Amino acid sequence: MSTVQEVLTAALLLAGVFFSFVAAIGIVRLPDLYLRMHAASKTTTLGLAGILLAVLVYFGTYEVVTKVVIVLLFLFLTAPVGAHMIGRSAYVCGVNMYPKTTRYDLERVTIVC
Amino acid sequence: MSSLILRTVARLLLPILVLLSLFLLLRGHNLPGGGFVGGLVCAAAIILQMVAYDTATARRMLRGSPWLLLPLGLGLALLSGLAALLWGQPFMTSRFVSVPLPGGGALDLGLPTVFDLGVYFVVLGTVLLVVLNLGEE
Amino acid sequence: MASHLATDRSKTLLRVPGWRWPLAPVLALALGLFGFVLRRAPAAVAGTPWEAALDWLPALGLSLHLRLDSLSLIFALLITGIGALVVAYSMPYMQGEQGLGRYYASLTLFMLAMFGLVMAGNLLLLFVFWELTSISSYLLIGFRHEEAESQEAALQALLVTGAGGLAMLAGIVLIGQVYGSFDLGVILAEPTRLRAHPLYGWALGLILAGAFTKSAQFPFHFWLPKAMVAPTPVSAYLHSATMVKAGIYLLARLSPLLGGSIAWQATLTTAGGLTMLLGAWQALRQHDLKGILAYTTISTLGMMVALLGLGTAEASQAALVTLVAHALYKGALFLVAGAVDHETGTRDVRLLGGFWAYGPALGLVAALAALSMAGLPPTLGFVAKELGYSAALEWSEQAIASGGLALLVLAANACNVALAVVLGYRVFFGEPGGPWPRKPHGMPWLLVLPGLLLAGASWLVGILPGLLDGAVERAVGLVLPGAHAGHLALWHGWSLPLALSMVTLASGAGLYALWRRRPPAPCGEPRLSALAAYRWLVYRALPGAASGLTRTLQNGSLRFYIMVILASTVLVAGGTLVRSGLLSRGSLSSEAYAWPELLMTALLVAAALGVVLAPTRLGAILSLGAVGSMVTLLYVRFRAPDLALTQLLIEALTVILLLQVFHYLPPGFEEHVRPRRAALEIAVAASVGLLMAGLVLMANGVQFAPPIARYYLEQSAPLAHGHNVVNVILVDFRGYDTLGEITVLATAAIGVYALLRVRRRKA
Amino acid sequence: MTWVLDLALAGLAIALVLCFVRVLRGPTAHDRVVALDNLSSTVAGLAGVYAIRLGEAIFLDVLIAVALLGFISTVAFARYLERGAHP
């Protein structure tokens, strides 16, 4: 366990935790659903990515590397889809937006429910 | 009715998930996993298809009705138990044969693994039977 | 079986010209048994009983152990002898009735059961045969099962004797507990041990309950007169000669064990005396022939129980001789009554009279039997009565007590004499009271012969009591260990009992004169009688209680069922846990107190509360998801990846399942619960939580057996080629359990599938 | 190294609590779903931290399962909400 490896794991780990922490604050503080959704998907992508890379660096064995790569691929694929699905169903169910929203792109688009 | 993005992702994920479930099943003897967990992961994969598409496509994807899985699983489990009788040992005694792997290691396949496969199918069959029928509208 | 075959196929199988003998097998069986017993009689009387034992249920202490000593010899002879005669008598009597196969089958079942009962050397075996006799009596009383009256009578007999049988079983089990075995030999070897044991009172009470219900003693006597709706041969055989005597046999057999204490003496004499007087008094007021016979039987049974209660050698000797005398003359009189009923179609004493012209032979039989019932010198009845009086007189030092007892016996015997005159003289020589439903035509000789044999036997043994002497002598020795009774003799010289006999005859004649002038009015149902109590209990109290209980417990609300189940679990498990004091030894390892674990548990509790308090169903599921995640985290923290994986998967699939189901349900929770009810439910839920916590604490702290985990940990690699112990156990070591579990899983799936299809087909 | 792990643990713990707040308070059902998804990701993160802390690479499988099932339940919830259930 060379010190470089240790420092790198610590750095990555702290970055990951930082993102999760900020996202959590975002979820609580942000006014309406759609904004919170942005924050939520950050934990799944950046937060977990940081921690996973830390794990990768920390163990470094052949097996762990393959697993981490697959998981990262899986995460980066599913997180946006999850967020998309929730956004879609929220909009369809008529969850109203934050009154002071400036841009409203979906005015003209009607989604077939 | 469901969104296109979800469908494409679901179709893409199916192979990965089934691979994961078999991976969990086969290594169950030495590392966390086993028939039960494998079965559940595979069921989750099928359910993902059901959520993405609809029950009919999920059922078609199975290419056989979940009904087949139950007797298959129980049969396998029973056979693996009865097989021990062939060698004159009491019911359920396990026998092993080690398969040399290309990578040099040796994989111990044996009756318990067959039993585990039986458990895998029964679990899969049960969950699917219940969820697919519930989903049927 | 043989009898059933014989009668139904009799038309072809046993076609004997002129007279159909369908009953050869049954008759052969009865006579065979009679011969068997007779051949072993000398040995039994000499004191070496014949024994045969076969293990039936060694684990329960039940063995097929038959034993013929002289006490069972007397009963066995009566059962088989009278059995054969009754079967012979049934052939002409029951001709033309449907279901003869069923009749003879139950009769054979009864004979074998009764035979087994008196020969049983094992108390449990005695109970088995006891219940068999109750069942066969139910079948026989209810022979004409279409009639409501016989249905009710049969049910009544079964319930009363059955309930008594159950009480007796409880008593037998208690005795078994004290002696550790149910074998009579072992038990009677040291009788005093039970009397010193605290369980003696309970055992005595329960055994007496069994005996008193079977022998129709005072509070439980009402089923016997009702049982007279049975065909007459059944009444003659079961309800006078043998079955009702089973209680007497039980008292005699267990008297060395239970007897000797004040409680035994008091209950037996009072119950017996009361029944004796009540029976005699009721008999005088009956106008149906069989009614008179039934109530006099009850009265004589009461006398025998009282005599057994006295506990002296003479009393036991008197009881046994009365038993034999009563069996003979009452059997004969019943057969006579049956014949009269068969010929004239009526049994009403007020109508009957002058039957001598139609059946002089039957008249002779009736006269012989009636003389024995009245207790005139040359008959066995006389010998029995004499013994009864001398036993009563010598019972206790104070003259008043024994004198009083003698007077009671005298009163009962007087009634017997009066009714004997009615049965013997009035029915045959008095003038008929009214038109008979049927003109009596030629009487088959087989209706008369059995009665003649019985009456003849009572005269024969009366004249030569020596025949009975040896057997009774040895039997008294068995009933009262060490007691020695005098020899039986017809003539004891001019003694006080003889004087008492004279007085009895005189008062009997007086009673008859009184009876003739005032024909008995049918007595109404007394409101407070045991029969009314029985009816109230069976037809109103029990059904009412049952439906009340069902209404409260099965009121259709699932919440209520779950609450009841949980509450009872808490009471049972909680109670034992607290009482066993294991709770205090529970311990929590210190490692669990660091702040991460506390936080996780706090969040877990918050999520659980969230599930309960969620206003909508979706909210509840979401909190459930949160609970699942927190539990997974706990497993991760405590280094259990396997558990974490399984927990996670199960929780996710449950959420998806619930979502599927809730799609069909309204979003909000509909049920609004009254605050008082909610408080109760919260209390139950809280107590279940506490119970589980207690169990976990206890399981954590207490080691009942050396942990098996070590064995599995060591063996999993070498034996099962696997390092993941959890899976190795599941699949290999305890594979058999898993096989069971997956079968259950598959069955559950099929169950759900079936339920869903039902819903879909209905929709 | 140990202080880093403790700090990470603390940070994720606070994130966990914050998610819980949103799960319990969330006005609409969608908020709760989002919060639950975030909660399971944080749990996955914690699993990663424990993997390093306990030196067991096996917790990666738990992490994969959490990520997989988080996604499936989120999608299932979304589908359920879409099909006419009230928020």
Side-chain angles (χ1 to χ4, degrees):
Chain A
M1 273 294 293
S2 67
T3 53
V4 167
Q5 207 177 358
E6 219 174 277
V7 165
L8 199 57
T9 332
L12 285 170
L13 196 65
L14 285 179
V17 168
F18 170 73
F19 278 117
S20 301
F21 183 70
V22 165
I25 296 177
I27 283 185
V28 171
R29 293 278 294 132
L30 290 172
D32 79 351
L33 174 74
Y34 305 99
L35 296 170
R36 289 187 201 120
M37 234 174 23
H38 285 300
S41 52
K42 296 305 158 291
T43 356
T44 334
T45 46
L46 296 176
L48 274 185
I51 295 175
L52 280 170
L53 288 177
V55 165
L56 183 134
V57 165
Y58 183 76
F59 288 100
T61 59
Y62 175 66
E63 178 208 359
V64 168
V65 167
T66 48
K67 262 193 216 165
V68 166
V69 166
I70 294 177
V71 172
L72 278 179
L73 179 69
F74 177 81
L75 277 177
F76 276 84
L77 192 64
T78 55
V81 172
H84 154 71
M85 280 303 289
I86 296 178
R88 183 187 140 85
S89 73
Y91 183 75
V92 161
C93 294
V95 173
N96 42 43
M97 293 189 186
Y98 180 51
K100 296 197 198 62
T101 42
T102 51
R103 284 171 56 86
Y104 188 37
D105 299 344
L106 281 176
E107 253 147 355
R108 292 170 308 286
V109 170
T110 57
I111 293 183
V112 168
C113 178
Chain B
M1 200 270 273
S2 164
S3 83
L4 186 59
I5 307 168
L6 185 64
R7 291 199 175 169
T8 45
V9 165
R11 204 177 312 111
L12 192 66
L13 278 179
L14 185 60
I16 301 177
L17 287 177
V18 171
L19 191 70
L20 177 68
S21 94
L22 288 179
F23 165 72
L24 281 173
L25 166 67
L26 288 179
R27 73 159 194 190
H29 229 42
N30 301 320
L31 290 164
F36 195 72
V37 176
L40 288 177
V41 167
C42 190
I46 306 286
I47 288 168
L48 178 60
Q49 307 312 319
M50 190 185 87
V51 170
Y53 297 87
D54 53 31
T55 333
T57 40
R59 203 182 277 278
R60 237 187 291 99
M61 216 164 278
L62 258 172
R63 269 187 302 290
S65 88
W67 270 107
L68 281 176
L69 290 167
L70 291 181
L72 176 69
L74 286 176
L76 272 175
L78 208 59
L79 273 178
S80 77
L82 293 176
L85 298 185
L86 301 182
W87 288 283
Q89 281 154 337
F91 182 67
M92 271 285 171
T93 339
S94 58
R95 284 182 66 78
F96 280 88
V97 61
S98 68
V99 173
L101 288 173
L107 175 66
D108 283 358
L109 280 182
L111 291 178
T113 330
V114 176
F115 186 87
D116 226 351
L117 199 61
V119 171
Y120 177 86
F121 283 128
V122 167
V123 166
L124 184 59
T126 312
V127 173
L128 287 188
L129 197 66
V130 171
V131 172
L132 288 182
N133 280 298
L134 264 176
E136 202 98 346
E137 202 32 79
Chain C
M1 264 301 294
S3 58
H4 192 86
L5 266 172
T7 41
D8 276 353
R9 244 59 91 234
S10 58
K11 295 161 195 65
T12 52
L13 200 63
L14 286 163
R15 202 87 194 78
V16 175
W19 185 269
R20 284 184 307 112
W21 284 71
L23 270 306
V26 183
L27 209 56
L29 177 69
L31 292 177
L33 285 176
F34 188 76
F36 168 86
V37 170
L38 215 55
R39 214 154 54 76
R40 277 163 189 70
V45 169
T48 52
W50 167 83
E51 291 205 51
L54 188 70
D55 262 350
W56 183 357
L57 264 176
L60 263 178
L62 168 61
S63 69
L64 206 58
H65 176 203
L66 295 178
R67 203 165 156 278
L68 182 71
D69 57 17
S70 81
L71 178 62
S72 28
L73 169 71
I74 299 173
F75 281 87
L77 283 177
L78 281 180
I79 293 164
T80 44
I82 298 179
L85 293 179
V86 159
V87 166
Y89 179 87
S90 307
M91 278 189 273
Y93 185 84
M94 297 295 278
Q95 213 170 11
E97 299 251 3
Q98 298 87 11
L100 277 184
R102 179 162 52 83
Y103 170 77
Y104 286 114
S106 342
L107 205 63
T108 326
L109 171 67
F110 170 77
M111 181 154 58
L112 291 177
M114 199 60 205
F115 189 70
L117 192 147
V118 290
M119 301 263 286
N122 177 309
L123 274 179
L124 273 186
L125 187 64
L126 184 133
F127 169 75
V128 168
F129 283 124
W130 184 282
E131 290 301 286
L132 271 179
T133 55
S134 299
I135 292 167
S136 46
S137 132
Y138 171 79
L139 291 173
L140 286 167
I141 298 176
F143 174 67
R144 298 188 181 82
H145 47 76
E146 316 82 35
E147 289 156 19
E149 202 194 355
S150 59
Q151 282 165 7
E152 207 238 345
L155 180 64
Q156 207 173 73
L158 182 67
L159 284 184
V160 173
T161 49
L166 283 182
M168 189 183 79
L169 175 63
I172 286 176
V173 164
L174 288 183
I175 294 176
Q177 295 295 342
V178 171
Y179 283 90
S181 133
F182 290 109
D183 191 79
L184 266 177
V186 167
I187 292 175
L188 293 180
E190 33 166 352
T192 50
R193 179 141 63 110
L194 181 67
R195 216 165 303 146
H197 199 278
L199 285 180
Y200 171 71
W202 283 103
L204 176 67
L206 289 169
I207 299 279
L208 285 189
F212 282 3
T213 47
K214 193 73 131 177
S215 297
Q217 290 308 301
F218 169 64
F220 313 105
H221 66 291
F222 53 88
W223 67 271
L224 191 56
K226 282 273 177 295
M228 287 306 135
V229 293
T232 312
V234 171
S235 309
Y237 189 31
L238 273 83
H239 299 124
S240 77
T242 52
M243 185 176 123
V244 283
K245 302 247 170 68
I248 311 288
Y249 168 76
L250 185 71
L251 294 179
R253 177 62 76 189
L254 294 183
S255 80
L257 190 67
L258 297 166
S261 74
I262 310 299
W264 162 275
Q265 215 170 30
T267 25
L268 257 66
T269 36
T270 38
L274 258 173
T275 321
M276 178 172 69
L277 293 176
L278 183 106
W281 166 247
Q282 289 277 7
L284 283 174
R285 300 167 62 212
Q286 296 299 324
H287 56 77
D288 173 350
L289 265 183
K290 282 176 86 173
I292 297 175
L293 292 173
Y295 275 104
T296 42
T297 305
I298 292 178
S299 157
T300 320
L301 285 172
M303 189 192 298
M304 281 189 259
V305 165
L307 284 173
L308 276 177
L310 297 185
T312 60
E314 289 81 13
S316 308
Q317 187 180 30
L320 288 175
V321 174
T322 319
L323 182 111
V324 176
H326 174 269
L328 295 179
Y329 71 71
K330 193 52 73 63
L333 284 175
F334 255 109
L335 296 185
V336 163
V340 167
D341 179 20
H342 187 263
E343 289 312 308
T344 62
T346 167
R347 295 200 301 257
D348 191 333
V349 172
R350 292 165 302 193
L351 299 178
L352 287 171
F355 195 81
W356 179 264
Y358 305 97
L362 198 68
L364 172 66
V365 170
L368 290 178
L371 286 173
S372 174
M373 177 168 173
L376 281 156
T379 66
L380 188 59
F382 171 73
V383 173
K385 195 138 63 63
E386 286 285 300
L387 281 173
Y389 283 140
S390 64
L393 288 173
E394 281 140 21
W395 168 48
S396 78
E397 301 73 27
Q398 304 99 343
I400 324 113
S402 49
L405 186 64
L407 270 180
L408 290 182
V409 174
L410 185 136
N413 282 339
C415 296
N416 265 352
V417 168
L419 291 163
V421 171
V422 165
L423 295 166
Y425 170 76
R426 173 121 183 23
V427 169
F428 289 85
F429 300 101
E431 75 295 348
W436 295 341
R438 273 206 302 267
K439 275 297 284 154
H441 48 276
M443 177 132 56
W445 57 277
L446 251 185
L447 282 184
V448 178
L449 179 63
L452 191 63
L453 285 178
L454 281 176
S458 96
W459 274 66
L460 177 70
V461 181
I463 297 159
L464 305 163
L467 291 171
L468 260 179
D469 204 14
V472 169
E473 179 66 27
R474 178 66 58 189
V476 167
L478 282 168
V479 171
L480 297 170
H484 177 68
H487 285 293
L488 291 177
L490 188 56
W491 184 254
H492 284 287
W494 295 99
S495 61
L496 190 53
L498 191 63
L500 281 179
S501 296
M502 298 306 164
V503 169
T504 322
L505 289 178
S507 48
L511 265 177
Y512 172 67
L514 196 69
W515 181 85
R516 218 154 63 81
R517 232 189 301 95
R518 198 176 50 73
C523 51
E525 272 302 320
R527 218 170 40 75
L528 251 183
S529 77
L531 181 61
Y534 162 83
R535 282 230 172 80
W536 172 77
L537 186 67
V538 172
Y539 294 108
R540 265 217 305 288
L542 287 181
S547 57
L549 193 64
T550 329
R551 259 200 314 283
T552 43
L553 278 184
Q554 309 282 339
N555 57 12
S557 105
L558 201 55
R559 290 170 78 104
F560 182 75
Y561 297 161
I562 295 175
M563 196 178 70
V564 167
I565 296 170
L566 287 181
S568 37
T569 331
V570 165
L571 287 178
V572 173
T576 33
L577 195 64
V578 168
R579 212 156 39 79
S580 65
L582 282 173
L583 208 55
S584 53
R585 286 164 56 196
S587 71
L588 203 61
S589 60
S590 61
E591 177 210 331
Y593 285 114
W595 65 270
E597 291 70 31
L598 280 182
L599 178 68
M600 287 182 215
T601 341
L603 288 180
L604 185 63
V605 168
L609 280 176
V611 172
V612 174
L613 303 173
T616 66
R617 291 185 199 280
L618 189 67
I621 312 175
L622 283 165
S623 321
L624 198 65
V627 168
S629 308
M630 294 320 296
V631 172
T632 319
L633 195 58
L634 273 173
Y635 283 143
V636 167
R637 160 65 188 83
F638 288 107
R639 297 166 61 98
D642 228 318
L643 283 176
L645 259 176
T646 321
Q647 160 69 27
L648 200 61
L649 284 163
I650 291 288
E651 177 250 317
L653 289 176
T654 328
V655 162
I656 292 169
L657 258 174
L658 286 175
L659 275 180
Q660 298 266 5
V661 171
F662 282 178
H663 176 66
Y664 304 103
L665 292 173
F669 287 107
E670 294 316 317
E671 279 189 47
H672 45 80
V673 178
R674 291 193 308 281
R676 197 171 52 78
R677 177 67 171 286
L680 182 66
E681 279 169 4
I682 291 172
V684 170
S687 51
V688 171
L690 282 175
L691 176 69
M692 287 309 149
L695 284 176
V696 164
L697 274 176
M698 187 199 73
N700 190 2
V702 173
Q703 284 302 72
F704 285 112
I708 194 162
R710 213 173 317 107
Y711 166 77
Y712 281 131
L713 282 172
E714 288 141 15
Q715 297 306 329
S716 88
L719 261 183
H721 305 265
H723 301 292
N724 172 5
V725 175
V726 172
N727 193 276
V728 161
I729 294 177
L730 259 178
V731 170
D732 194 340
F733 287 124
R734 298 189 64 83
Y736 198 62
D737 299 352
T738 321
L739 185 63
E741 276 141 27
I742 50 176
T743 327
V744 165
L745 210 58
T747 339
I750 297 169
V752 167
Y753 179 74
L755 283 173
L756 289 175
R757 263 166 54 77
V758 162
R759 192 188 63 76
R760 193 166 307 124
R761 209 175 317 113
K762 225 183 284 166
Chain D
M1 185 57 181
T2 51
W3 66 272
V4 169
L5 285 175
D6 284 346
L7 183 64
L9 206 61
L12 284 178
I14 296 168
L16 212 61
V17 172
L18 292 175
C19 289
F20 245 84
V21 166
R22 181 49 67 194
V23 165
L24 295 182
R25 212 161 58 123
T28 65
H30 292 83
D31 294 312
R32 289 201 176 88
V33 171
V34 164
L36 187 71
D37 186 34
N38 196 5
L39 186 89
S40 57
S41 309
T42 320
V43 165
L46 274 165
V49 168
Y50 271 114
I52 297 177
R53 186 167 134 152
L54 303 171
E56 290 268 356
I58 206 61
F59 287 106
L60 267 180
D61 304 340
V62 176
L63 198 138
I64 298 173
V66 170
L68 155 76
L69 287 155
F71 165 66
I72 292 183
S73 39
T74 318
V75 169
F77 275 117
R79 205 45 213 290
Y80 170 80
L81 288 172
E82 219 175 281
R83 275 194 299 190
H86 315 298

